[in-house]
């Protein structure tokens, strides 16, 4: 009996969605450089090393007033959640009425789901502002002090080990990664297990964040880091089948998830300030290439190609 080949052709879209913003931001930066040269001065209130804005930025805010802090965080979360959900929902309803020509079915269920989405996003954003980001900042600010306690070598080891574990932990908490693992396992009929994909992606993000911290700590050149890593990723891509290549490159999108990004940015900014570095960006770019390499290596180590194996079995039948 012929075994149907897994259909992984739907992957790869996230790769292009992640690549094009890089190009557009580059284009915008060159436009600003060539058209606005000399019009900008450094703002002492906004240092290059990004500081996560405290939610109590309203006039008269008091950090000791817990109720006021919670209210500010709630209003900020509610505003950002509505801005994220309502335009998309409105566009989808517009397509439904104009393109399809009728109201969607089960409107009551859709509205209940929309309400649950808003409540969940508001609660998540409150926890993000009041807990995850301050923790990332505090830990990143205090991590360089490990060199005082353990010496230069072991202090750096402690700092990099924490960065690795923080990357792995934040990746495992990403809901999008779990959904990606379920989809890949279902489409490959169990040949590529969900936990194998999650483990490879988490390992890649952890290694990438460690490399990004090394870039900040030892003042490494980001260009050469990315050139080396992406050259290795392209070499693996050339010897991998297209299906797993699409999955691997799409898995890099987990580094732009709502859990990983705030923690990594807060961590990088705090470490940069502690090491007297002008900026803490670049960690996410290093973290993005890690999952690509690790997933491609995991697919190669599993032996025959996940997508090609069923086709080979069918041809021998």
């Amino acid at each position: 009996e012929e075994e149907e080949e897994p259909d992984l052709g739907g992957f790869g879209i996230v790769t292009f969605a992640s690549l094009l913003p890089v190009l557009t931001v580059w284009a915008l930066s060159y436009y600003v450089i060539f058209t606005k040269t000399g019009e900008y001065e450094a703002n002492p209130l906004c240092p290059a090393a990004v500081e996560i804005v405290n939610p109590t930025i309203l006039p008269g805010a008091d950090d000791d007033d817990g109720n006021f802090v919670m209210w500010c965080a709630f209003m900020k979360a509610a505003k950002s959640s509505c801005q994220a959900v309502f335009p998309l929902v409105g566009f989808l309803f517009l397509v439904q009425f104009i393109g399809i020509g009728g109201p969607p079915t089960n409107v009551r269920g859709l509205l209940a789901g929309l309400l649950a989405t808003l409540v969940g996003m508001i609660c998540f954003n409150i926890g993000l502002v009041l807990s995850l980001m301050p923790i990332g900042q505090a830990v990143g600010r205090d991590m360089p002090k490990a060199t005082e306690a353990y010496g230069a070598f072991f202090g750096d080891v402690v700092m990099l080990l924490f960065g690795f574990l923080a990357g792995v932990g934040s990746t495992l908490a990403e809901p999008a990664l779990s959904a990606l693992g379920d989809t890949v396992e279902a489409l490959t009929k169990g040949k590529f297990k969900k936990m194998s994909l999650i483990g490879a992606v988490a390992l890649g993000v952890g290694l990438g964040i460690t490399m990004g911290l090394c870039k900040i700590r030892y003042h490494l050149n980001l260009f050469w880091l990315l050139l080396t890593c992406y050259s290795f990723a392209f070499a693996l891509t050339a010897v991998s089948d297209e299906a797993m290549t699409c999955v691997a490159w799409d898995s890099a999108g987990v580094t732009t998830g709502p859990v990983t990004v705030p923690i990594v940015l807060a961590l990088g900014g705090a470490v940069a300030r502690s090491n007297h570095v002008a900026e803490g960006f670049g960690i996410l770019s290093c973290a993005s290439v890690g999952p690509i390499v690790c997933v491609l290596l995991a697919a190669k180590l599993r032996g025959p190609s996940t997508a090609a194996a069923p086709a080979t079995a069918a041809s021998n039948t």
Side-chain angles (χ1 to χ4, degrees), residues 8 37 43 72 88 93 103 120 128 162 165 168 177 180 182-183 202 221 224 233-234 241 277 286 298 300 309:
L8 298 177
T37 303
N43 184 355
C72 290
L88 177 60
F93 271 102
L128 202 64
F162 175 83
L165 295 177
V168 172
L177 179 57
L180 177 65
D182 288 331
T183 303
N221 190 295
W224 293 111
F234 282 128
D241 65 86
V277 179
C286 295
K300 299 300 291 183

Side-chain angles (χ1 to χ4, degrees), residues 163-180 197-209 251-261 263-264 284 287-288 291:
F164 172 79
L165 295 177
V168 172
S170 61
T171 303
L172 294 177
E174 285 289 354
L177 179 57
S178 179
L180 177 65
L197 179 67
I198 291 178
V201 173
L203 176 64
V205 173
L207 292 175
I209 290 178
S251 66
V254 74
T255 58
T256 59
V259 177
T260 305
V261 171
I263 294 177
V264 172
L284 282 175
S288 296

Side-chain angles (χ1 to χ4, degrees), residues 19 38 49 70 79 89 92 101 109 115 131 135 155 161 165 200 249 277 287 312:
L19 174 63
M70 180 62 71
K79 179 181 178 180
V89 172
L92 294 178
L115 179 61
S131 179
I135 289 175
L161 179 61
L165 295 177
W249 283 83
V277 179
T312 303

Side-chain angles (χ1 to χ4, degrees), residues 134-152:
I135 289 175
Q137 281 186 309
V139 172
R141 184 171 53 251
D142 294 336
M143 268 202 307
K145 296 179 182 178
T147 58
E148 302 174 4
Y150 304 106

Side-chain angles (χ1 to χ4, degrees), residues 42-315:
N43 184 355
L45 300 180
C46 183
V50 176
E51 179 77 30
I52 302 298
V53 178
N54 191 285
T56 58
I57 57 175
L58 300 179
D62 185 2
D63 289 338
D64 296 329
D65 188 352
N67 293 330
F68 187 81
V69 171
M70 180 62 71
W71 173 251
C72 290
F74 171 79
M75 294 301 296
K76 183 181 181 69
K79 179 181 178 180
S80 61
S81 299
C82 291
Q83 289 176 337
V85 172
F86 284 131
L88 177 60
V89 172
F91 171 75
L92 294 178
F93 271 102
L94 185 64
V95 172
Q96 176 75 27
F97 279 102
I98 296 179
I100 302 177
T105 59
N106 192 19
V107 176
R108 182 175 299 180
L110 291 176
L111 292 178
L114 175 61
L115 179 61
T117 301
L118 281 175
V119 172
M121 290 185 65
I122 290 173
C123 293
F124 175 79
N125 285 325
I126 291 175
L128 202 64
V129 171
L130 296 183
S131 179
L132 288 181
M133 290 193 296
I135 289 175
Q137 281 186 309
V139 172
R141 184 171 53 251
D142 294 336
M143 268 202 307
K145 296 179 182 178
T147 58
E148 302 174 4
Y150 304 106
F153 176 77
F154 289 105
D156 287 353
V157 170
V158 170
M159 180 183 70
L160 297 178
L161 179 61
F162 175 83
F164 172 79
L165 295 177
V168 172
S170 61
T171 303
L172 294 177
E174 285 289 354
L177 179 57
S178 179
L180 177 65
D182 288 331
T183 303
V184 171
E185 182 172 355
L187 291 178
T188 59
K189 293 179 171 55
K191 289 181 172 58
F192 200 101
K193 299 296 184 182
K194 171 184 176 180
M195 293 310 301
S196 298
L197 179 67
I198 291 178
V201 173
L203 176 64
V205 173
L207 292 175
I209 290 178
T210 303
M211 183 171 61
L213 290 177
C214 287
K215 173 254 180 189
I216 296 175
R217 179 66 172 169
Y218 304 115
H219 308 282
L220 303 179
N221 190 295
L222 182 62
F223 172 79
W224 293 111
L225 282 177
L226 295 181
L227 180 63
T228 302
C229 293
Y230 275 102
S231 297
F232 185 45
F234 282 128
L236 287 173
T237 299
V239 297
S240 301
D241 65 86
E242 184 175 358
M244 288 313 301
T245 294
C246 293
V247 172
W249 283 83
D250 273 6
S251 66
V254 74
T255 58
T256 59
V259 177
T260 305
V261 171
I263 294 177
V264 172
L265 287 182
L267 182 65
V271 171
R273 283 189 296 275
S274 299
N275 285 275
H276 308 291
V277 179
E279 45 80 25
F281 292 107
I283 297 182
L284 282 175
S285 58
C286 295
S288 296
V289 69
I292 301 172
V293 173
C294 286
V295 172
L296 289 174
L297 285 176
K300 299 300 291 183
L301 292 176
R302 293 180 65 84
S305 168
T306 303
T312 303
S315 64

